[in-house]
Amino acid sequence: MSARDLQNPQTTSKETDWQGLIHAYRPYLPVSDTTPVVTLLEGNTPLIPVPSIAAEIGKQVEVFVKYDGLNPTGSFKDRGMTMAVSKAKEAGAQAVICASTGNTSAAAAAYAARGGLQAFVLIPDGYVALGKLAQALLYGAQVMAIQGNFDACFQIVREMADRYPVTLVNSVNPYRLEGQKTSAFEIVDRLGEAPDWLCIPVGNAGNISAYWMGFCQYHAAGRCQRLPKMMGFQAKGSAPMVLGETVSNPQTIATAIRIGNPANRKSAIATAEASQGEFNAVSDEEILAAYRMLAREEGIFCEPASAASIAGLMQQKDRIPTGAKVVCVLTGNGLKDPDTAIAHNQTKFQKGVDPTVEAVAQQMGF
């Protein structure tokens, strides 16, 4: 690889066709020429300006959303899973295992299928959105619903990976965060600089650390001149990072961040401290308001947990510096959780309308 490619690793990919994030960012990832790359062409997701959100803040602020819900299985987890499953396959693994509130299970199952590995998934019974469960099942994972929360599931899979020949692909797997850090690279490549603020939902607390790793590596390589303030947002009923203690019975409509004992707590705290950022909690009402606002005013449909980043930004808007560039991470697609969309939308839904032009015109107000 030439010095030019090392300095701008995306050049070749963007000039031709995107071949996945490992190909695009190989110089920054722990892979070799012999690593069997398992990819669904993840990454290269859009950074979309959201002027209606910026207008709510004022102060000449620019706001963008990094819409990782457009990854192959509909969430940011694909970024980490291409790395985790590729490295598992390189090590000779035959099976992978994870605990999940939904998105990890979908990604693990898809990439395991792609790589010819078996996937085993533990989920908290009754607390996984049906869109995510459907994905894991159709991809061929063996799914087990546990009578307990995510934290109970996670404890079991950690012990399973220690005692049996299965590779754990939750975010404690270091290769997961290596893949996820590439989203920070893409943001800098798109903006030409790191944002002033990076707002991100926090559940198991791995992704905030991954983004920080990516920004720091690009900064060290001279690809950006500053580092962002990392602002993590949790749901009020599931906010161990904000409270500073484990939440034994986390509750929130945002099931993807319904985690009371984050596995990556220490690295997330270190990230907030190093970036002069912080963690804050937003209510389910604030999350739903942001969720609807994104869809209604920007045409962007994210899952509820993703909207925590927008809800948090709106909550903290008075603190944003004038002229700042802000990126809010949208971690998952809205189609992951159609039940919440139906239950909490505020749009009039007309049922039982007569099949005539006149009846339809009347409903339309003509």
Side-chain angles (χ1 to χ4, degrees):
M1 180 170 286
S2 69
R4 177 174 176 268
D5 289 335
L6 183 60
Q7 182 64 19
N8 188 7
Q10 277 196 316
T11 300
T12 302
S13 296
K14 284 188 173 179
E15 287 176 354
T16 56
D17 292 323
W18 181 261
Q19 298 178 49
L21 62 85
I22 292 178
H23 177 83
Y25 293 108
R26 184 176 287 271
Y28 296 94
L29 296 169
V31 293
S32 70
D33 291 339
T34 59
T35 300
V37 176
V38 180
T39 181
L40 290 167
L41 306 187
E42 60 294 311
N44 199 25
T45 56
L47 186 69
I48 307 172
V50 282
S52 66
I53 307 294
E56 288 284 329
I57 297 168
K59 298 190 290 187
Q60 300 178 310
V61 169
E62 292 182 80
V63 183
F64 303 83
V65 292
K66 181 60 169 167
Y67 191 20
D68 255 2
L70 293 184
N71 273 300
T73 77
S75 87
F76 78 98
K77 305 285 187 172
D78 294 350
R79 292 182 179 275
M81 215 57 73
T82 184
M83 278 295 302
V85 174
S86 293
K87 296 299 287 187
K89 193 172 178 67
E90 183 177 35
Q94 299 297 312
V96 298
I97 192 170
C98 69
S100 181
T101 55
N103 285 329
T104 299
S105 68
Y111 282 82
R114 185 75 170 179
L117 281 66
Q118 176 63 52
F120 297 94
V121 172
L122 270 64
I123 62 173
D125 194 11
Y127 287 98
V128 171
L130 287 180
K132 304 174 188 181
L133 177 58
Q135 285 182 281
L137 292 171
L138 200 60
Y139 291 137
Q142 183 172 331
V143 181
M144 292 160 274
I146 301 299
Q147 294 181 356
N149 60 23
F150 170 84
D151 302 304
C153 295
F154 185 63
Q155 182 60 40
I156 292 170
V157 297
R158 291 191 85 158
E159 292 185 25
M160 290 292 297
D162 287 341
R163 295 168 58 182
Y164 298 97
V166 292
T167 298
L168 182 63
V169 291
N170 279 101
S171 58
V172 291
N173 180 319
Y175 298 118
R176 277 279 310 277
L177 302 192
E178 289 286 341
Q180 288 165 214
K181 75 184 181 186
T182 60
S183 192
F185 298 163
E186 290 177 17
I187 289 170
V188 174
D189 289 341
R190 167 68 174 79
L191 293 179
E193 182 55 273
D196 296 284
W197 278 29
L198 191 286
C199 298
I200 186 167
V202 175
N204 216 21
N207 210 26
I208 190 171
S209 305
Y211 269 85
W212 182 243
M213 185 193 314
F215 286 125
C216 287
Q217 287 185 1
Y218 250 29
H219 186 263
R223 300 295 302 277
C224 58
Q225 302 307 307
R226 65 178 181 231
L227 292 168
K229 182 187 292 286
M230 304 293 288
M231 302 292 286
F233 296 99
Q234 298 195 290
K236 281 188 177 178
S238 181
M241 302 301 299
V242 179
L243 297 172
E245 60 185 26
T246 295
V247 177
S248 59
N249 186 30
Q251 296 293 333
T252 174
I253 197 168
T255 55
I257 54 174
R258 187 180 177 271
I259 297 171
N261 187 21
N264 298 283
R265 186 192 306 252
K266 290 183 179 179
S267 61
I269 291 171
T271 291
E273 291 176 349
S275 71
Q276 299 181 350
E278 60 192 52
F279 300 99
N280 288 287
V282 289
S283 68
D284 279 6
E285 291 73 20
E286 289 173 305
I287 289 172
L288 288 170
Y291 172 67
R292 289 188 291 259
M293 182 180 185
L294 270 175
R296 185 177 61 250
E297 299 191 20
E298 296 291 353
I300 298 171
F301 187 24
C302 65
E303 68 171 319
S306 295
S309 62
I310 295 291
L313 175 64
M314 300 306 292
Q315 182 194 81
Q316 301 293 320
K317 65 181 182 180
D318 292 342
R319 300 174 56 197
I320 300 169
T322 298
K325 281 187 170 66
V326 180
V327 172
C328 294
V329 178
L330 303 184
T331 48
N333 196 297
L335 292 172
K336 293 277 192 171
D337 190 358
D339 290 345
T340 297
I342 296 297
H344 294 279
N345 85 91
Q346 296 177 334
T347 303
K348 189 176 183 181
F349 178 29
Q350 298 290 350
K351 296 194 289 185
V353 178
D354 289 340
T356 66
V357 170
E358 291 75 16
V360 172
Q362 182 180 18
Q363 293 295 333
M364 293 172 66
F366 295 121

Short mmCIF file of all heavy atoms in Angstrom, two decimals, residues 33 62 90 99 116 120 122-123 131 133 139 148 153 175 192 206 214 220 229 234 245 254 319 333 337 341 354:
data_model
loop_
_atom_site.label_atom_id
_atom_site.label_comp_id
_atom_site.label_asym_id
_atom_site.label_seq_id
_atom_site.Cartn_x
_atom_site.Cartn_y
_atom_site.Cartn_z
N ASP A 33 -3.04 -9.58 5.78
CA ASP A 33 -3.42 -10.02 4.45
C ASP A 33 -4.09 -11.39 4.47
O ASP A 33 -4.76 -11.78 3.51
CB ASP A 33 -2.19 -10.06 3.53
CG ASP A 33 -1.65 -8.66 3.22
OD1 ASP A 33 -2.42 -7.69 3.38
OD2 ASP A 33 -0.48 -8.55 2.84
N GLU A 62 -24.47 24.05 13.43
CA GLU A 62 -24.75 23.05 12.41
C GLU A 62 -24.91 21.69 13.09
O GLU A 62 -24.07 21.31 13.91
CB GLU A 62 -23.61 22.96 11.39
CG GLU A 62 -23.45 24.19 10.51
CD GLU A 62 -22.34 23.99 9.49
OE1 GLU A 62 -22.57 23.33 8.46
OE2 GLU A 62 -21.22 24.47 9.75
N GLU A 90 -10.65 -16.22 11.71
CA GLU A 90 -9.20 -16.32 11.58
C GLU A 90 -8.61 -17.21 12.67
O GLU A 90 -7.66 -17.96 12.44
CB GLU A 90 -8.57 -14.93 11.65
CG GLU A 90 -7.06 -14.91 11.45
CD GLU A 90 -6.51 -13.50 11.46
OE1 GLU A 90 -7.03 -12.63 12.20
OE2 GLU A 90 -5.55 -13.24 10.72
N ALA A 99 -25.05 -11.89 24.24
CA ALA A 99 -26.27 -11.45 24.90
C ALA A 99 -26.72 -10.21 24.15
O ALA A 99 -25.90 -9.47 23.61
CB ALA A 99 -26.00 -11.11 26.36
N GLY A 116 -20.10 -18.58 7.80
CA GLY A 116 -20.20 -20.03 7.96
C GLY A 116 -20.04 -20.51 9.39
O GLY A 116 -19.63 -21.65 9.63
N PHE A 120 -25.20 -18.30 18.61
CA PHE A 120 -26.07 -18.53 19.75
C PHE A 120 -26.35 -17.18 20.41
O PHE A 120 -25.43 -16.38 20.62
CB PHE A 120 -25.40 -19.46 20.76
CG PHE A 120 -25.12 -20.84 20.21
CD1 PHE A 120 -23.88 -21.14 19.66
CD2 PHE A 120 -26.09 -21.84 20.23
CE1 PHE A 120 -23.61 -22.39 19.14
CE2 PHE A 120 -25.83 -23.09 19.73
CZ PHE A 120 -24.60 -23.38 19.18
N LEU A 122 -28.58 -15.02 23.51
CA LEU A 122 -29.42 -14.95 24.70
C LEU A 122 -30.05 -13.57 24.75
O LEU A 122 -29.35 -12.55 24.62
CB LEU A 122 -28.61 -15.19 25.98
CG LEU A 122 -28.50 -16.66 26.45
CD1 LEU A 122 -27.76 -17.50 25.43
CD2 LEU A 122 -27.81 -16.71 27.81
N ILE A 123 -31.37 -13.53 24.93
CA ILE A 123 -32.09 -12.27 25.01
C ILE A 123 -32.96 -12.24 26.27
O ILE A 123 -33.37 -13.30 26.76
CB ILE A 123 -32.98 -12.04 23.77
CG1 ILE A 123 -34.07 -13.13 23.66
CG2 ILE A 123 -32.14 -11.97 22.50
CD1 ILE A 123 -35.10 -12.89 22.58
N GLY A 131 -38.87 -6.71 15.46
CA GLY A 131 -38.09 -6.59 14.23
C GLY A 131 -36.71 -7.18 14.40
O GLY A 131 -36.17 -7.83 13.48
N LEU A 133 -35.77 -9.51 16.78
CA LEU A 133 -35.89 -10.94 17.01
C LEU A 133 -36.11 -11.68 15.69
O LEU A 133 -35.52 -12.73 15.44
CB LEU A 133 -37.04 -11.22 17.97
CG LEU A 133 -37.36 -12.70 18.26
CD1 LEU A 133 -36.15 -13.41 18.84
CD2 LEU A 133 -38.55 -12.80 19.21
N TYR A 139 -31.86 -15.27 10.21
CA TYR A 139 -30.44 -15.48 9.89
C TYR A 139 -29.95 -16.85 10.37
O TYR A 139 -28.84 -17.25 10.04
CB TYR A 139 -29.58 -14.39 10.52
CG TYR A 139 -29.75 -13.01 9.94
CD1 TYR A 139 -29.83 -11.89 10.77
CD2 TYR A 139 -29.80 -12.79 8.57
CE1 TYR A 139 -29.97 -10.61 10.27
CE2 TYR A 139 -29.94 -11.51 8.05
CZ TYR A 139 -30.03 -10.43 8.91
OH TYR A 139 -30.17 -9.16 8.39
N GLY A 148 -34.90 -12.96 32.72
CA GLY A 148 -34.04 -12.00 33.40
C GLY A 148 -33.74 -10.86 32.45
O GLY A 148 -34.18 -10.87 31.30
N CYS A 153 -28.34 -12.06 31.12
CA CYS A 153 -27.93 -12.74 29.89
C CYS A 153 -26.43 -12.59 29.65
O CYS A 153 -25.74 -13.55 29.28
CB CYS A 153 -28.69 -12.16 28.69
SG CYS A 153 -30.46 -12.44 28.70
N TYR A 175 -12.23 -6.53 19.30
CA TYR A 175 -12.36 -6.31 17.86
C TYR A 175 -13.66 -5.61 17.50
O TYR A 175 -13.74 -4.95 16.47
CB TYR A 175 -12.24 -7.65 17.11
CG TYR A 175 -10.90 -8.31 17.32
CD1 TYR A 175 -10.80 -9.55 17.95
CD2 TYR A 175 -9.72 -7.68 16.92
CE1 TYR A 175 -9.57 -10.15 18.15
CE2 TYR A 175 -8.48 -8.27 17.12
CZ TYR A 175 -8.41 -9.51 17.74
OH TYR A 175 -7.18 -10.09 17.95
N GLY A 192 -14.24 17.00 7.12
CA GLY A 192 -12.90 17.58 6.99
C GLY A 192 -12.28 17.93 8.32
O GLY A 192 -11.16 18.43 8.40
N GLY A 206 -19.95 0.74 25.07
CA GLY A 206 -18.80 0.47 24.23
C GLY A 206 -18.65 1.46 23.09
O GLY A 206 -17.53 1.85 22.74
N GLY A 214 -11.45 6.22 17.64
CA GLY A 214 -11.30 6.61 16.25
C GLY A 214 -10.88 8.06 16.09
O GLY A 214 -9.97 8.37 15.30
N ALA A 220 -4.05 11.73 15.90
CA ALA A 220 -2.62 11.39 15.96
C ALA A 220 -2.01 11.27 14.57
O ALA A 220 -0.82 11.56 14.37
CB ALA A 220 -2.44 10.07 16.72
N LYS A 229 -16.00 17.02 22.15
CA LYS A 229 -16.54 16.75 23.47
C LYS A 229 -17.52 15.59 23.31
O LYS A 229 -18.46 15.66 22.51
CB LYS A 229 -17.25 17.98 24.01
CG LYS A 229 -17.82 17.83 25.42
CD LYS A 229 -18.66 19.04 25.82
CE LYS A 229 -17.82 20.28 25.99
NZ LYS A 229 -17.02 20.25 27.23
N GLN A 234 -28.29 8.65 28.34
CA GLN A 234 -28.99 7.44 28.74
C GLN A 234 -30.44 7.78 29.06
O GLN A 234 -30.79 8.93 29.31
CB GLN A 234 -28.32 6.83 29.99
CG GLN A 234 -26.88 6.41 29.75
CD GLN A 234 -26.37 5.50 30.84
OE1 GLN A 234 -26.17 5.93 31.97
NE2 GLN A 234 -26.16 4.24 30.51
N GLU A 245 -23.86 4.21 39.58
CA GLU A 245 -24.09 2.91 40.22
C GLU A 245 -24.96 2.04 39.32
O GLU A 245 -25.68 2.54 38.45
CB GLU A 245 -24.76 3.09 41.57
CG GLU A 245 -26.11 3.77 41.50
CD GLU A 245 -26.72 4.04 42.86
OE1 GLU A 245 -25.97 4.16 43.84
OE2 GLU A 245 -27.96 4.16 42.93
N ALA A 254 -36.82 2.74 25.32
CA ALA A 254 -35.68 2.59 24.40
C ALA A 254 -34.93 1.30 24.73
O ALA A 254 -33.89 1.30 25.39
CB ALA A 254 -34.75 3.80 24.50
N ARG A 319 -26.04 25.07 26.22
CA ARG A 319 -24.60 24.97 26.51
C ARG A 319 -23.74 24.84 25.25
O ARG A 319 -22.51 24.85 25.33
CB ARG A 319 -24.35 23.76 27.41
CG ARG A 319 -25.09 23.85 28.74
CD ARG A 319 -24.92 22.56 29.53
NE ARG A 319 -23.52 22.24 29.74
CZ ARG A 319 -23.07 21.04 30.10
NH1 ARG A 319 -23.91 20.04 30.26
NH2 ARG A 319 -21.80 20.83 30.28
N ASN A 333 -32.07 1.60 12.94
CA ASN A 333 -33.16 1.93 12.04
C ASN A 333 -34.51 1.84 12.75
O ASN A 333 -34.73 0.94 13.56
CB ASN A 333 -33.13 0.98 10.85
CG ASN A 333 -33.94 1.44 9.68
OD1 ASN A 333 -35.15 1.57 9.76
ND2 ASN A 333 -33.26 1.71 8.57
N ASP A 337 -38.23 -1.49 15.32
CA ASP A 337 -39.24 -1.47 16.38
C ASP A 337 -40.53 -0.82 15.87
O ASP A 337 -40.91 0.26 16.32
CB ASP A 337 -38.69 -0.71 17.58
CG ASP A 337 -39.55 -0.84 18.83
OD1 ASP A 337 -40.61 -1.51 18.74
OD2 ASP A 337 -39.20 -0.27 19.86
N ALA A 341 -43.41 2.65 16.97
CA ALA A 341 -43.82 3.67 16.01
C ALA A 341 -45.34 3.76 15.92
O ALA A 341 -45.92 4.85 15.90
CB ALA A 341 -43.22 3.36 14.64
N ASP A 354 -64.74 4.29 3.26
CA ASP A 354 -65.43 3.70 2.10
C ASP A 354 -64.55 3.79 0.85
O ASP A 354 -63.85 4.80 0.64
CB ASP A 354 -66.75 4.43 1.83
CG ASP A 354 -67.80 4.13 2.89
OD1 ASP A 354 -67.66 3.11 3.58
OD2 ASP A 354 -68.74 4.94 3.02
#
